Amino acid sequence: MRSEEITRSIIDFTVEKGLRDIEQGSRRSVRRMVDLGEHFARGAFQKELFQTAQRHLDHKDSSYYTLAQNVIRSVDHKTLKTFGINLGYNSLTLGTRLIRQKISEEGHHIPWTIAVDLKEFSPSGVTENALQSLILQGMELGVFSYFIRCSGEAAPLESLLELLKKNDQCAFLLFLTPELLDRNRAAAISECHNTLVSLECRDLPAYREGALLLKELRCLFAAHLYYSEEELPSLHPEKWLDALPPTGCAVTFLLARPHCGKEARAQVRSYVREVRNAARAQPLYVVDFYSDLTLVDQTVSGASCLLCVSPEGYARRLGQETVPAPELHIARQDLATILSLLMPAAEKNAGE
């Protein structure tokens, strides 16, 4: 057995025991698992996440103890364990090591995650085979995390879930709108133990209906909200965080719209830090999606290098415009070549 397999088996056993202890009411086990996470954390974002949790757990009456127990009691343990280990160990530990090795060999940046905007499987856009090939090529480079936004009336959710389930060494974050959910689809999501689903929460009644369905089926889920300059006033905690119904969601993502300016993004970064450090009756961990991803990228790859794939299948680097060139299409070009074109001239010791 390889050392990586032995390490994963030890982590698997430790996490399973911790989940059982926390479910039975052990607050000490909550703190022990957070301390363990902080010990192995790599990079600014991971460190901040666990250190924030530690600060809150210093108080015996912290509502974060209740939050941890509620999530562990309401979410399938196989899902918590599989998603958590795939993200924390496969992606941010083994994957980081492989990415840095490949950067040194190839001389270009490699992102730690890839974001795909999917509206349908189309011969002229993103096909099911092209997405599967992208994931397999990504794993060879050390990419074990994928963020997929699935939207639109033709969204191929059923076939997509089968594809995610098949890639059981990866961690997937799947962004959905509530109207895409029904009981059959939620049941299929509950079988994807390597997937965290996030529901858009702009329409609170629709979000609540979808979230309660996911909770009933013991899914791991989050909420997300898009913002621009015009929408900043709606991000005040009393206008959205406090309005979120208590459905079992533990994480919320804020995503800047493409046209959102730098000043507005900076305001949101500052706001998110304040919310993370504030004691709240209904605690939620808030993530400024693109900003926090950039912190991880800089730790892993030495630069902000998120790769984004459009519904038409064209790849671009975050912050760049989509160019409809054949050499940037994921069905017509291999991933390594696309990365060499979009993310050249990485330093050999990037991220170290």
Side-chain angles (χ1 to χ4, degrees):
M1 183 180 289
R2 295 184 306 170
S3 61
E4 293 88 353
E5 294 172 339
I6 295 173
T7 301
R8 184 177 173 111
S9 296
I10 294 172
I11 294 172
D12 188 285
F13 174 80
T14 304
V15 171
E16 179 62 38
K17 183 180 185 303
L19 292 175
R20 288 198 305 268
D21 290 345
I22 294 170
E23 188 174 33
Q24 294 167 5
S26 172
R27 292 194 167 198
R28 183 179 301 174
S29 291
V30 177
R31 182 58 192 249
R32 188 181 299 124
M33 289 188 72
V34 170
D35 290 345
L36 185 65
E38 198 277 334
H39 176 74
F40 287 104
R42 297 292 181 269
F45 174 67
Q46 289 175 275
K47 287 286 186 183
E48 181 185 352
L49 189 157
F50 287 109
Q51 288 170 0
T52 298
Q54 285 174 325
R55 284 196 299 271
H56 286 289
L57 296 178
D58 283 339
H59 304 284
K60 292 183 179 180
D61 59 347
S62 171
S63 55
Y64 278 78
Y65 284 111
T66 303
L67 173 66
Q69 289 172 338
N70 287 345
V71 170
I72 288 167
R73 287 169 179 166
S74 63
V75 177
D76 183 273
H77 282 196
K78 184 176 180 181
T79 300
L80 285 173
K81 191 169 58 173
T82 303
F83 180 83
I85 294 175
N86 285 3
L87 178 63
Y89 184 64
N90 289 2
S91 180
L92 294 175
T93 303
L94 291 181
T96 293
R97 190 184 308 159
L98 182 54
I99 284 172
R100 289 175 176 171
Q101 175 187 331
K102 293 292 185 180
I103 288 174
S104 178
E105 294 171 355
E106 303 298 333
H108 59 74
H109 292 294
I110 299 172
W112 77 279
T113 186
I114 296 174
V116 180
D117 195 351
L118 183 64
K119 294 184 178 179
E120 62 179 341
F121 284 134
S122 165
S124 61
V126 178
T127 65
E128 189 170 350
N129 287 339
L131 182 56
Q132 176 62 55
S133 176
L134 180 75
I135 293 169
L136 292 177
Q137 292 178 73
M139 291 170 64
E140 291 179 358
L141 297 174
V143 185
F144 288 86
S145 295
Y146 297 85
F147 302 146
I148 302 176
R149 181 171 64 175
C150 192
S151 61
E153 295 180 359
L157 190 54
E158 289 86 357
S159 52
L160 174 62
L161 291 172
E162 286 298 318
L163 187 151
L164 304 189
K165 186 163 58 173
K166 182 166 60 176
N167 293 282
D168 59 0
Q169 295 300 303
C170 295
F172 296 100
L173 172 53
L174 180 58
F175 291 100
L176 299 176
T177 52
E179 56 267 22
L180 286 178
L181 271 187
D182 58 27
R183 180 165 290 277
N184 289 336
R185 287 178 163 183
I189 289 170
S190 72
E191 296 297 320
C192 287
H193 301 293
N194 57 347
T195 301
L196 165 64
V197 174
S198 184
L199 291 182
E200 186 173 2
C201 59
R202 181 72 61 183
D203 181 344
L204 286 175
Y207 162 79
R208 182 179 187 277
E209 182 178 351
L212 290 176
L213 181 57
L214 292 173
K215 182 180 181 181
E216 178 187 339
L217 294 170
R218 299 179 62 80
C219 299
L220 179 63
F221 68 95
H224 66 271
L225 196 65
Y226 297 96
Y227 70 87
S228 62
E229 286 93 342
E230 298 78 16
E231 294 165 312
L232 285 185
S234 67
L235 294 186
H236 194 278
E238 284 77 10
K239 293 187 177 180
W240 78 286
L241 269 183
D242 293 343
L244 281 177
T247 57
C249 164
V251 180
T252 58
F253 299 99
L254 294 176
L255 295 95
R257 297 189 188 277
H259 62 275
C260 186
K262 292 183 179 180
E263 184 175 340
R265 292 171 189 252
Q267 289 182 44
V268 170
R269 281 198 297 272
S270 176
Y271 157 78
V272 164
R273 292 192 187 96
E274 292 177 9
V275 172
R276 285 176 182 170
N277 291 320
R280 307 187 62 79
Q282 184 186 336
L284 291 166
Y285 193 81
V286 182
V287 175
D288 181 11
F289 188 75
Y290 294 114
S291 174
D292 286 330
L293 284 189
T294 295
L295 288 177
V296 182
D297 263 337
Q298 289 170 343
T299 299
V300 173
S301 302
S304 174
C305 55
L306 176 65
L307 186 73
C308 305
V309 179
S310 73
E312 295 76 30
Y314 294 102
R316 66 177 175 87
R317 188 172 181 169
L318 181 66
Q320 297 177 345
E321 296 293 326
T322 298
V323 177
E327 62 269 23
L328 297 177
H329 197 284
I330 64 168
R332 305 170 197 165
Q333 187 64 272
D334 65 275
L335 178 59
T337 300
I338 289 174
L339 293 175
S340 69
L341 292 171
L342 293 175
M343 306 178 186
E347 295 183 6
K348 288 189 176 182
N349 63 344
E352 295 181 353

